[in-house]
Amino acid sequence: MTKDAKPGIGRRRLGGLAAAGAATFTLAAPPRIGRAQPPAIRIGNTQALTGPSAAYGIRARDGAILALEDVNNAGGLNLGGTTYRLDMSSEDMANDARQALTLLRQWATDAAVLAVLGPSNSVGFVAMVPAAGQLRIPMVGTGSGAPIREWNPYSYRVNPVSSIAVPQVLRKVVPAEKVRRMAVIYDQTQDAQLGDAEVTRSMARELNYEVVAYEAFRANDQDFSPQIAKIRSARPDAIYVAAATGDGVKVVSQIREAGIEKPLMTGFGSFEDPVYWDGTRGQVRGCYTWLAQDLRAPSPALKSFLDRYNARFPQEATSFSTYGYDAIIAIAEGLKKAGRADRQALQAALGSLDITTPLGTRVTFRNPPDGNNQNPSVVVIKITGRGAYQTV
């Protein structure tokens, strides 16, 4: 049981999920009854659990909780003849890069903490990448898609990134919606959102559209009327909304209140989140985003995970839930490959990791040159209802 886990869910075991992933994810047999509890390998989980990115961080945390329980219920990790259980502590970086760095330094000073889950938002993840290298503690991100200027061999992320996903969205949506005039509204304080905006602008020549408005705002702003007035006067055919869910709900609502009914696009699966649908009163119907998995046509293993997750946690599962799960599995498989409970050995193992997680996610790291997942899947979707969509 992790420090984040809730009691009373012991009956929800690995079951069919472990069987579906057995070819690529096998663990030691469970210890016999009466044996002393095995020693713990701790993982520090730094997430935005409050603020505009909380919808991402909470889901990544909860997905990680299920992964830890699956590993431990399947017998833990046998490293060099010693069986270990995984333990995790989650802390709130509150959308603050300085808080994220403070938490990373705290994890690094605890010798029992062998790895850190980086936050799902890029505000924290981007700041933590150089620090993870300096502190020599492995870090696996759970959703950040922002560009990283300089990688180090201690930093990784399992999810697709903007430079891969956003072009796929644009290549499908622009011709489908006959977009010749594109507007962009973006959060200039969040690296991932800025990255989405920059990719949208850079794709204009390839897809033969003109960016007619490129409007910035800051996280936690409340009034977007100046930016929206400029967008309306530019008469776009579509708008890319680069905003975390908390701010994006406000942006989309005000766009619609201004009478702009053009198709909207966003990244990181945000429009698929029921929080977005509820917050905008369904005004993201007909809008576009991307997912790492087709959550409405899941494999049996992914469906098992989604059913367990949705039965247990108050917020419905999104791709960020799977990122948390896959990040824990990547760390567990890295430790198995390393063969010992050691940060440097784990770092070396992650650098050439190539696995398929029980959810069916391919995770391939080749670091150097970078810590991105080399084989992510991207599914472009159009929202049709609350938590409902069709693939594009």
Side-chain angles (χ1 to χ4, degrees):
M1 182 72 68
T2 74
K3 293 183 180 179
D4 293 297
K6 300 176 183 177
I9 314 293
R11 66 183 183 278
R12 300 186 185 279
R13 301 286 176 148
L14 184 58
L17 182 59
T24 55
F25 181 63
T26 56
L27 295 167
R32 292 192 297 270
I33 295 174
R35 188 177 287 181
Q37 189 176 38
I41 291 173
R42 291 189 60 211
I43 296 172
N45 187 11
T46 302
Q47 294 292 349
L49 303 177
T50 58
S53 299
Y56 309 147
I58 290 170
R59 288 182 169 92
R61 178 201 61 191
D62 293 346
I65 288 172
L66 290 186
L68 261 77
E69 292 179 355
D70 285 353
V71 170
N72 291 335
N73 290 342
L77 295 174
N78 190 326
L79 307 178
T82 300
T83 297
Y84 295 87
R85 72 182 190 278
L86 293 183
D87 193 11
M88 182 177 74
S89 297
S90 295
E91 297 290 347
D92 184 13
M93 52 80 63
N95 218 57
D96 186 326
R98 292 171 297 180
Q99 175 68 0
L101 289 171
T102 297
L103 291 170
L104 180 62
R105 294 187 183 104
Q106 290 176 0
W107 303 133
T109 60
D110 186 342
V113 176
L114 295 194
V116 172
L117 263 62
S120 296
N121 67 357
S122 293
V123 169
F125 185 82
V126 172
M128 289 169 64
V129 166
Q134 294 161 7
L135 296 168
R136 300 171 67 84
I137 185 167
M139 177 178 73
V140 180
T142 56
S144 165
I148 302 297
R149 289 192 178 92
E150 186 174 350
W151 284 94
N152 62 70
Y154 285 84
S155 304
Y156 299 84
R157 52 188 172 190
V158 296
N159 54 281
V161 298
S162 297
S163 60
I164 293 174
V166 175
Q168 294 194 40
V169 174
L170 293 169
R171 289 183 183 121
K172 291 193 173 184
V173 176
V174 167
E177 296 288 350
K178 298 180 174 58
V179 178
R180 290 293 175 264
R181 299 171 63 82
M182 180 78 74
V184 179
I185 182 168
Y186 67 98
D187 182 350
Q188 63 185 333
T189 68
Q190 304 232 39
D191 292 307
Q193 313 306 334
L194 178 58
D196 273 20
E198 290 175 344
V199 172
T200 304
R201 185 161 60 178
S202 71
M203 291 290 292
R205 178 173 295 183
E206 175 187 326
L207 297 177
N208 194 32
Y209 61 78
E210 178 186 2
V211 177
V212 295
Y214 197 75
E215 297 299 314
F217 66 90
R218 302 184 67 83
N220 298 314
D221 281 354
Q222 300 298 316
D223 181 11
F224 305 93
S225 55
Q227 296 95 327
I228 293 172
K230 292 180 181 178
I231 289 172
R232 182 169 53 189
S233 66
R235 296 178 291 107
D237 301 316
I239 304 171
Y240 196 102
V241 179
T245 296
D247 290 319
V249 166
K250 294 179 287 185
V251 172
V252 169
S253 296
Q254 291 182 36
I255 286 173
R256 294 311 194 211
E257 288 167 4
I260 303 173
E261 298 298 331
K262 299 297 183 180
L264 307 178
M265 290 169 271
T266 196
F268 305 101
S270 296
F271 286 162
E272 190 266 341
D273 188 339
V275 171
Y276 232 118
W277 180 271
D278 295 343
T280 64
R281 294 175 296 178
Q283 294 183 104
V284 292
R285 186 190 298 275
C287 299
Y288 300 88
T289 187
W290 60 267
L291 301 173
Q293 302 95 350
D294 188 348
L295 300 177
R296 302 305 164 194
S299 66
L302 180 57
K303 184 178 186 304
S304 174
F305 167 79
L306 295 172
D307 288 346
R308 292 189 303 139
Y309 185 103
N310 290 332
R312 176 165 177 179
F313 299 112
Q315 292 191 1
E316 296 171 66
T318 68
S319 286
F320 284 88
S321 311
T322 69
Y323 299 155
Y325 191 100
D326 289 337
I328 290 292
I329 298 305
I331 291 170
E333 290 291 325
L335 285 166
K336 287 172 57 183
K337 183 179 178 183
R340 63 184 190 273
D342 177 82
R343 289 180 184 175
Q344 278 63 56
L346 173 59
Q347 172 267 311
L350 288 173
S352 58
L353 191 69
D354 190 351
I355 64 168
T356 300
T357 76
L359 303 188
T361 307
R362 180 85 179 274
V363 177
T364 305
F365 294 140
R366 294 287 179 266
N367 192 6
D370 64 59
N372 288 325
N373 184 359
Q374 302 299 303
N375 286 293
S377 61
V378 176
V379 180
V380 181
I381 64 170
K382 183 177 183 179
I383 304 304
T384 59
R386 187 182 189 276
Y389 59 80
Q390 63 187 39
T391 58
V392 179

